[in-house]
Amino acid sequence: MIQKKTNSYPLVRMRRNRQTDWSRRLICENILSANDLILPLFVCDGNNLLEPIDSLPGVNRYSIDKIIDVAKKAEDLQIPLLALFPVIDNKFKSNEGEEALKSDNLICRTIHEIKNKVPNIGIMTDVALDPYTSHGHDGILKENKILNDETIEALIKQALNQCRAGTDIIAPSDMMDGRILMIRNALEENNFKDTIIMSYAAKYASNYYGPFRDAIKSKNSLTGSKSTYQMDSANSNEAIREAELDINEGADMIMVKPGMPYLDIIFRIKKELGVPTFAYQVSGEYAAIKAASINGWLDYNEIILESLLCFKRSGADGILTYAAIDVAEKLLGK
Ligand code: PBG
């Protein structure tokens, strides 16, 4: 008698499990829910303002009063967290970005207002100087160099300023060396022991950030590239070292950015370090999907769900995405 191998066709037919909707649902390995979504929002000065951003169709800059409506909507849709980014008027920008340190600046007022009116949604705020610097860099620029340790001193003050305004999560996105340790120590010393730090640990010098720089109006002012502090797209071992360092320095969560072209980095960080790992589907990724959809070349509603599910499959615990509201509505059948 000829013994058939048990581990191959025709005994094994992978399509058996795929033949019906119920069996596909039963074997499904990953799911996306509204709990996985973080909504980035751009806030600007003024009243009753909703300014569309040309390179991010469907995304707007909102004045504080208007952002409250969006925050309420996000809360209703079970989105756990907002990531706030201020659009700073040119007259408040300077070489060292001192506006970032003022207790009544736009971001602090926004945190206050959201905490007052929508208390059950989390707030995350960026720690980096780029919205506030006249040159558009994340740190202090002197003689063509971004100064690491001097920048950290400013970032500590910026982080404490945001904590006093009531932020829940500090998200250093500046990529200076040692800033997580220094910020964590400052939080401990100033009675903000429970403030979460989500570190942009593996942040690449990427061309995908273009529309974001339009959104915060820093594009035209940016002089030179950010490659002396953001990572080289060629590297992945370096990302593991960055993430490990930041966890050891007191970060609670790690972010990888951009997202989809860097799924291997998310996978490795999750696998090798096993820490809460988040991905940022950045402005250029969203814009590319949106632009192709507007042209009728891709189906936005379907492809955005697919892209976010792929983040989950790679190991991400959650995703920052400009599509968070659209996706949550879709997931909840609204
Ligand atoms: C800056 C910052 C950037 C983004 C988030 N925080 C841009 C940059 O590093 O120049 C980009 C996000 C996006 O493209 O959606 N600290």
Side-chain angles (χ1 to χ4, degrees):
M1 206 176 89
I2 299 164
Q3 195 76 45
K4 275 219 176 100
K5 269 175 80 183
T6 55
N7 59 351
S8 67
Y9 174 85
L11 297 185
V12 175
R13 287 178 184 267
M14 295 298 283
R15 290 184 55 198
R16 277 190 209 111
N17 289 342
R18 279 179 215 143
Q19 61 190 315
T20 56
D21 176 61
W22 64 259
S23 64
R24 287 193 294 274
R25 281 189 280 127
L26 195 63
I27 62 160
C28 176
E29 296 179 38
N30 291 286
I31 52 163
L32 176 71
S33 88
N35 296 330
D36 301 319
L37 303 172
I38 301 170
L39 172 66
L41 287 175
F42 298 107
V43 59
C44 62
D45 255 319
N47 246 314
N48 198 25
L49 288 180
L50 181 159
E51 282 177 15
I53 300 157
D54 290 346
S55 54
L56 286 172
V59 180
N60 305 299
R61 303 180 192 95
Y62 297 99
S63 52
I64 296 181
D65 53 326
K66 284 279 172 195
I67 228 164
I68 297 300
D69 300 339
V70 189
K72 281 189 182 142
K73 191 168 183 186
E75 185 189 50
D76 286 344
L77 291 166
Q78 297 164 25
I79 293 172
L81 181 65
L82 304 174
L84 303 179
F85 297 99
V87 182
I88 302 297
D89 205 283
N90 267 337
K91 64 174 185 275
F92 295 125
K93 295 191 185 188
S94 60
N95 186 47
E96 301 203 359
E98 289 91 343
E99 180 66 17
L101 316 181
K102 304 215 169 113
S103 61
D104 62 345
N105 68 14
L106 179 60
I107 198 75
C108 291
R109 282 182 281 124
T110 311
I111 297 168
H112 261 300
E113 197 63 10
I114 297 179
K115 276 290 160 209
N116 279 337
K117 304 236 163 89
V118 199
N120 295 320
I121 196 158
I123 298 181
M124 175 160 91
T125 44
D126 231 46
V127 169
L129 299 178
D130 58 312
Y132 307 95
T133 52
S134 40
H135 44 73
H137 279 287
D138 295 23
I140 294 171
L141 179 69
K142 275 213 180 106
E143 286 154 16
N144 264 337
K145 273 197 169 161
I146 300 295
L147 304 180
N148 193 84
D149 300 2
E150 290 77 353
T151 297
I152 292 181
E153 292 306 318
L155 298 177
I156 291 172
K157 291 182 195 151
Q158 184 184 23
L160 288 172
N161 192 31
Q162 294 173 358
C163 287
R164 286 185 202 107
T167 197
D168 299 298
I169 304 188
I170 289 292
S173 74
D174 55 286
M175 292 294 284
M176 297 301 117
D177 287 324
R179 88 285 199 214
I180 299 296
L181 179 67
M182 302 282 281
I183 292 172
R184 176 54 80 204
N185 282 335
L187 296 184
E188 287 288 322
E189 282 162 18
N190 287 274
N191 224 5
F192 293 113
K193 297 180 175 37
D194 294 328
T195 302
I196 295 170
I197 298 180
M198 183 188 290
S199 167
Y200 286 76
K203 176 169 177 182
Y204 287 85
S206 171
N207 295 298
Y208 281 95
Y209 306 149
F212 175 94
R213 293 176 192 166
D214 282 338
I216 67 163
K217 301 183 178 169
S218 73
K219 192 175 213 160
N220 296 334
S221 45
L222 185 61
T223 46
S225 87
K226 296 193 175 185
S227 45
T228 67
Y229 46 107
Q230 299 180 351
M231 285 182 54
D232 183 341
S233 315
N235 299 348
S236 83
N237 290 330
E238 190 185 338
I240 308 301
R241 287 185 71 197
E242 283 281 8
E244 199 167 18
L245 278 168
D246 286 359
I247 289 291
N248 289 337
E249 289 180 19
D252 306 283
M253 303 168 169
I254 291 297
M255 171 116 71
V256 176
K257 174 176 172 204
M260 203 132 92
Y262 297 82
L263 291 186
D264 58 318
I265 307 300
I266 300 167
F267 178 80
R268 280 193 65 188
I269 289 181
K270 191 67 193 180
K271 194 163 182 201
E272 294 175 34
L273 307 179
V275 295
T277 305
F278 293 83
Y280 199 145
Q281 181 176 53
V282 298
S283 57
E285 297 175 64
Y286 170 90
I289 292 176
K290 210 48 197 253
S293 306
I294 288 168
N295 277 292
W297 300 333
L298 291 175
D299 179 342
Y300 171 73
N301 286 320
E302 295 300 331
I303 207 156
I304 201 77
L305 286 174
E306 178 182 335
S307 68
L308 298 177
L309 184 58
C310 292
F311 281 107
K312 294 285 311 234
R313 194 199 61 236
S314 76
D317 295 293
I319 310 109
L320 276 101
T321 172
Y322 297 96
I325 294 244
D326 296 342
V327 170
E329 280 176 341
K330 213 171 152 52
L331 292 172
L332 298 170
K334 294 203 175 168

